[in-house]
Amino acid sequence: MTIGIIGSGAIGTALARVLSRAEIEATISNSRGPDSLKDLVRELGPSIKPGTREEAARADIVFVAVNWTKLPAAMTGLPDWNGRIVVDANNPIEAPLFKPADLGGRVSSAVFADLVPGARVVKAFNHLRADLLATDPRSDGGQRVLFYSGDDAAAKAEIAALIERLGFAGLDLGSLEVGGKLAQFPGGPLPNQNLIRIS
Ligand SMILES: NC(=O)c1ccc[n+]([C@@H]2O[C@H](COP(=O)([O-])OP(=O)(O)OC[C@H]3O[C@@H](n4cnc5c(N)ncnc54)[C@H](OP(=O)(O)O)[C@@H]3O)[C@@H](O)[C@H]2O)c1
């Protein structure tokens, strides 16, 4: 299983950090190219490699963490998705104005899914602040909860397994329509809920 990350900002880096902590290999990318990522990957550790957006997009599982209005450009001209898994870690709002995007009444993951035709989209890794997401998920006497949702059961099972391997407690919220909305910021009640599963 190969992993790519598109976006190397707050959330892309947090994703890379949790993967690195679990010694899982991944290719991280941004709009400026691999050279701009040299210092970051040195700090992240040996399992994280810099790559182009296209290289990251060829992985079996592709995390996308890009500013909402920049997503169309970031998802353009990539190889066919062919059923590969794309994790939507995005929210339909962005700095500095924090004005919610006009989604035409749809859940943001449905809008996002239109940008990655043929991919199996799983919504996850979007409900916590980046600094919290990056910290050790085994804390406060338990495991930090990560929500996930999606319409493809097998894709969700793969992401659920990865979430557990990273040390989080995964919680399946159902379909993109239902679960995506619950965890979406703004719109759902779950963003910023730092829940811990005590086992
Ligand atoms: N920050 C949070 O705490 C938080 C929490 C939950 C969810 N989110 C969501 O996560 C997503 C990313 O947020 P962020 O805070 O990580 O943003 P960010 O720090 O501004 O980083 C955005 C990243 O997107 C990359 N990017 C922009 N255009 C691109 C393109 N055409 N091709 C490839 N990469 C491109 C940027 O690369 P360059 O720098 O090279 O342009 C940058 O690495 C957003 O949808 C946000 O709503 C954020």
Side-chain angles (χ1 to χ4, degrees):
M1 177 191 72
T2 56
I3 296 179
I5 305 171
I6 299 179
S8 65
I11 287 290
T13 296
L15 287 164
R17 210 174 287 291
V18 293
L19 290 164
S20 173
R21 188 179 292 124
E23 298 177 3
I24 297 173
E25 293 188 1
T27 299
I28 190 167
S29 68
N30 61 15
S31 72
R32 288 164 291 145
D35 280 353
S36 69
L37 293 162
K38 277 184 186 155
D39 289 345
L40 178 67
V41 295
R42 197 173 301 122
E43 188 232 312
L44 286 170
S47 74
I48 310 299
K49 306 261 179 302
T52 63
R53 190 176 63 104
E54 290 79 3
E55 285 164 347
R58 272 190 215 110
D60 302 321
I61 297 175
V62 181
F63 288 90
V64 180
V66 168
N67 323 85
W68 184 259
T69 58
K70 295 180 179 168
L71 280 167
M75 298 294 100
T76 296
L78 296 175
D80 286 348
W81 293 103
N82 282 336
R84 283 175 300 115
I85 298 174
V86 174
V87 178
D88 172 20
N90 308 288
N91 281 317
I93 192 164
E94 67 188 52
L97 296 179
F98 294 103
K99 182 172 174 254
D102 180 2
L103 303 172
R106 304 170 78 200
V107 295
S108 67
S109 279
V111 176
F112 174 80
D114 286 349
L115 302 175
V116 289
R120 293 181 293 158
V121 174
V122 176
K123 179 86 174 172
F125 295 86
N126 71 298
H127 91 279
L128 292 174
R129 281 193 338 261
D131 56 337
L132 192 54
L133 179 64
T135 58
D136 190 344
R138 293 183 184 86
S139 59
D140 298 319
Q143 288 169 280
R144 202 179 317 289
V145 170
L146 271 194
F147 304 115
Y148 60 93
S149 51
D151 299 336
D152 185 286
K156 270 203 301 196
E158 280 200 52
I159 296 306
L162 180 60
I163 284 172
E164 297 287 335
R165 197 174 154 202
L166 293 172
F168 293 93
L171 200 60
D172 185 354
L173 298 179
S175 66
L176 286 182
E177 184 67 30
V178 173
K181 191 156 196 176
L182 289 170
Q184 174 181 312
F185 178 76
L190 296 177
N192 289 319
Q193 297 294 329
N194 177 23
L195 306 182
I196 304 291
R197 181 172 73 193
I198 312 286
S199 38

